[in-house]
Amino acid sequence: MDKQKTGELIRNARIKKGYTQVELGDLIGVTNKAISRWEKGDSFPDISVIEELSRVLDIRIQDIVIGDVTEPDSETAVTEVVRAAKLQDKVKKRKFISSGLSCIAAGYMLVCGWYSFRGQADNSILGYLTVSLAIVIAIMLAGEKSGGVHMHNGNAGGRVYNIIGFASMGYCLVMMIVVSSIFNNSGADSWKIAGHIGKIINVQLIIFFVLNLAVLVIQDYNNEHKYEGVMSVAYSLVAACFMSMMYSCLLHTLSDMHSFNKYIMIIAVAAVIEMQAAYFISFRIKKHNWSFEK
């Protein structure tokens, strides 16, 4: 079974029939995006639609599965159909597992955010959030591993998501540094969460948390529906969420400017290190899966 050959076969048969991708999708009950992915070789038609696809395009089921119009023997055709069914069943299980792990990660982040932004914590919460960032990244790496990764689809729109994540991290860091420089000679009580300025800063941090978490969910949804499982994760989004939580906790527990200045950089460095480690591991996962498939 060769997805590239099957895609080319479907494309040629569709053009020969005079159908557009939209029209073919309407005839067999799938979206034009699904047709496009088949023809590009990004995915393979589901077993449930192959019979209808065969009827509409006037090509044999075994030709679609094998991706060749030559005369295969009946045993080869049956073997390829069974193989295709097993592979698609495996993909569906991967999607289920990776989606479940993504939901667990998002839920855990929501719980962390709830306790962080309420301010009912002490300085030890920063350590817990650092560990929690590592836990969430590990869960998402497990989802990426179970979902399968294909090198040619690896970005999955990741550039846009990464820009949002890195921009959010940068803004949070700059915002805290500016606040530190302005109030470095002022009393902590004049601008921590109890004060007007502290509340404004905390609202911004909450907005960045919600924004990055929402974008992370959108990315996961798009990956699951456009590709066979989770193709990539913008870990900068995860790091941005936790940086906003950590800085909020720092504002709530602020006692002196010296500690505040120190923890600003410690939080940023910890988030960046864990994020870079995640990207390195993710790259190794992609490389391993690509080599395995080849």
Side-chain angles (χ1 to χ4, degrees):
M1 187 179 70
D2 189 316
K3 289 189 291 186
Q4 296 291 336
K5 288 184 177 180
T6 296
E8 185 67 22
L9 181 67
I10 293 173
R11 179 178 178 276
N12 291 337
R14 174 181 63 80
I15 293 174
K16 184 178 180 180
K17 283 285 185 177
Y19 297 137
T20 65
Q21 291 182 343
V22 173
E23 290 170 340
L24 178 59
D26 290 339
L27 286 171
I28 64 175
V30 300
T31 65
N32 63 306
K33 292 182 179 179
I35 303 295
S36 177
R37 291 196 297 273
W38 297 346
E39 294 184 357
K40 291 178 181 178
D42 291 340
S43 63
F44 191 84
D46 192 272
I47 291 296
S48 61
V49 302
I50 286 183
E51 183 177 0
E52 186 66 11
L53 184 64
S54 170
R55 184 188 67 79
V56 171
L57 295 181
D58 289 332
I59 51 179
R60 297 173 303 178
I61 292 177
Q62 58 263 38
D63 291 342
I64 296 174
V65 175
I66 297 174
D68 198 339
V69 293
T70 57
E71 282 293 334
D73 57 67
S74 58
E75 183 177 350
T76 300
V78 172
T79 300
E80 288 296 324
V81 171
V82 172
R83 180 169 174 260
K86 289 181 178 179
L87 285 175
Q88 290 190 346
D89 182 61
K90 188 175 182 180
V91 167
K92 289 179 181 178
K93 289 179 180 178
R94 283 179 168 181
K95 285 187 177 182
F96 178 78
I97 294 173
S98 60
S99 296
L101 290 174
S102 296
C103 290
I104 291 172
Y108 187 73
M109 290 170 71
L110 281 173
V111 172
C112 290
W114 171 257
Y115 284 103
S116 299
F117 294 114
R118 290 181 67 191
Q120 299 176 349
D122 54 29
N123 287 327
S124 63
I125 191 65
L126 292 176
Y128 291 131
L129 287 175
T130 303
V131 174
S132 294
L133 173 57
I135 291 173
V136 170
I137 285 177
I139 292 173
M140 302 193 81
L141 280 169
E144 190 170 350
K145 175 65 176 176
S146 64
V149 181
H150 302 278
M151 289 293 285
H152 58 281
N153 285 335
N155 61 357
R159 291 181 181 177
V160 175
Y161 300 119
N162 272 315
I163 288 173
I164 296 173
F166 282 118
S168 299
M169 291 176 64
Y171 184 85
C172 288
L173 178 61
V174 170
M175 177 175 63
M176 300 302 283
I177 292 176
V178 169
V179 168
S180 175
S181 64
I182 293 175
F183 293 95
N184 207 30
N185 297 321
S186 305
D189 291 335
S190 67
W191 63 281
K192 62 189 297 186
I193 293 300
H196 178 67
I197 297 176
K199 290 179 180 178
I200 294 176
I201 298 169
N202 198 51
V203 168
Q204 292 185 52
L205 293 172
I206 293 173
I207 290 173
F208 276 107
F209 170 78
V210 174
L211 169 67
N212 283 275
L213 183 58
V215 173
L216 187 66
V217 172
I218 291 171
Q219 185 209 29
D220 182 67
Y221 177 85
N222 287 337
N223 285 339
E224 289 291 342
H225 287 77
K226 289 183 179 181
Y227 303 95
E228 296 180 350
V230 177
M231 295 297 103
S232 63
V233 176
Y235 294 101
S236 59
L237 295 171
V238 183
C241 285
F242 275 90
M243 276 186 69
S244 62
M245 284 189 272
M246 292 175 187
Y247 285 147
S248 179
C249 287
L250 187 58
L251 287 173
H252 280 101
T253 59
L254 174 63
S255 58
D256 63 88
M257 290 307 302
H258 175 73
S259 298
F260 182 72
N261 294 334
K262 179 180 68 174
Y263 280 116
I264 283 178
M265 299 310 299
I266 290 177
I267 290 171
V269 170
V272 170
I273 289 176
E274 293 191 24
M275 180 184 63
Q276 292 300 322
Y279 278 119
F280 175 76
I281 296 172
S282 179
F283 172 77
R284 298 299 299 176
I285 290 174
K286 291 172 182 165
K287 185 176 180 181
H288 171 75
N289 283 10
W290 177 252
S291 299
F292 178 79
E293 288 183 357
K294 296 297 284 185

